[in-house]
Amino acid sequence: MRGPEASVDSVTDSVTGLPDGRVLSVVLERKVALARRTLKPISVVYFELDEFESFAPYVREHAMRSTSRVITNTVRESDTICDLGNGVLVALLDDTSEAGAVWAADRVRNANAESPSRDIVTLSAGVACYPSHAMDAQDLLEAAEAACRNAQIHGPGRIEVAAEGEGS
């Protein structure tokens, strides 16, 4: 009984309880392969808590716990949310176009603005979609991350979409 618990804990973040980056890479690879086979889009929304490094350690934990709850409660139950650490949460949105992903990211941002941690935490987000921004999983994630960096450059709490073919 102890073995399975240890293996579950090893792929989930202890603060948020969400799957970690190792799970993200496997799931994203599979979802992109399925999207390729079914000719349906998949979107990645790369959320980053603004100014996360400036938070005190206990505030970081509270911010991550609160933000992960907001994202989980806002996106569809069928979507996958992973915690990459250091204030980064990624949502994989099945069968979701660029417009749908921007709408979902905006819903998360608005829900976060109404959460108890709203005075401390703002979220920036980068959106990338298969096949318009990248053709494979790693490039798709990198395109979403680059779009998030661009959002942060232009101010906290922004959402930016990857440039066409940005991750390739």
Side-chain angles (χ1 to χ4, degrees):
M1 190 89 159
R2 187 93 172 115
E5 280 180 21
S7 64
V8 168
D9 289 344
S10 68
V11 294
T12 59
D13 180 79
S14 62
V15 174
T16 63
L18 293 172
D20 67 13
R22 292 169 292 179
V23 173
L24 174 67
S25 63
V26 171
V27 171
L28 184 56
E29 286 282 344
R30 289 184 180 180
K31 287 183 180 277
V32 168
L34 180 63
R36 188 175 295 123
R37 192 168 66 246
T38 59
L39 302 176
K40 292 186 176 182
I42 181 171
S43 293
V44 174
V45 183
Y46 190 100
F47 292 103
E48 188 161 352
L49 280 69
D50 297 314
E51 306 296 329
F52 183 75
E53 292 302 318
S54 69
F55 296 168
Y58 70 92
V59 174
R60 287 181 189 171
E61 283 190 15
H62 172 73
M64 287 301 292
R65 201 173 290 116
S66 171
T67 304
S68 68
R69 250 185 258 121
V70 165
I71 294 171
T72 302
N73 292 335
T74 305
V75 300
R76 299 171 300 195
E77 198 172 311
S78 62
D79 294 327
T80 303
I81 302 111
C82 294
D83 184 337
L84 299 189
N86 293 323
V88 176
L89 297 156
V90 174
L92 307 178
L93 311 178
D94 295 321
D95 196 11
T96 303
S97 67
E98 178 181 311
V102 170
W103 182 77
D106 193 45
R107 282 186 55 228
V108 167
R109 185 178 57 177
N110 290 334
N112 188 68
E114 295 171 7
S115 76
S117 61
R118 68 184 169 271
D119 295 333
I120 300 169
V121 179
T122 58
L123 278 176
S124 291
V127 172
C129 306
Y130 167 87
S132 57
H133 300 119
M135 296 303 287
D136 71 33
Q138 187 60 40
D139 289 345
L140 189 61
L141 183 60
E142 288 172 6
E145 181 179 4
C148 186
R149 299 277 170 260
N150 195 31
Q152 289 179 316
I153 288 169
H154 291 94
R158 290 185 52 102
I159 298 168
E160 292 285 333
V161 176
E164 293 295 315
E166 189 166 303
S168 328

